[in-house]
Amino acid sequence: MNVPSSGRIPNGATVERAVSSQLSQGDSIVLNLNDPDFTTATRLVASVNKGMGADIASMIDGGSIRVRAPLDITQRVSFLSSVRICRWNRAWPRPR
């Protein structure tokens, strides 16, 4: 392997190029809930807006939240860490 853009990991995989990530693109990030629910999504938006600032988060639908984030990747990662620790109460699952 004499190509500077690739490498080999012993007992691993061959790395040819970086995997593209949408983390550094755009002015917002979409968070998807594992269990879509309008009540949980509403509570999460309220918690993020209370903890991070008004109108930072908005609900797209019952399973997706849009969060405005800094454009600088270092600040964005730190921001997401802060969003992650916001507290909210998950809605109880529907009876089956």
Side-chain angles (χ1 to χ4, degrees):
M1 294 216 169
N2 294 330
V3 180
S5 61
S6 66
R8 185 172 299 275
I9 301 170
N11 299 322
T14 301
V15 178
E16 295 182 3
R17 65 175 182 215
V19 177
S20 64
S21 170
Q22 293 185 0
L23 181 62
S24 62
Q25 298 175 355
D27 65 346
S28 64
I29 296 171
V30 176
L31 305 176
N32 295 308
L33 301 176
N34 284 336
D35 299 315
D37 178 82
F38 284 106
T39 302
T40 301
T42 301
R43 290 176 181 172
L44 177 57
V45 167
S47 176
V48 170
N49 285 337
K50 181 180 177 185
M52 305 301 295
D55 299 325
I56 293 291
S58 60
M59 189 166 65
I60 297 171
D61 56 31
S64 302
I65 309 297
R66 176 172 285 117
V67 181
R68 284 189 301 118
L71 294 177
D72 178 69
I73 190 65
T74 304
Q75 293 174 351
R76 186 171 279 214
V77 170
S78 177
F79 174 80
L80 284 175
S81 176
S82 299
V83 168
R84 188 178 180 282
I85 62 173
C86 288
R87 300 277 183 206
W88 73 93
N89 292 324
R90 181 178 161 190
W92 292 99
R94 286 184 299 171
R96 295 180 182 206

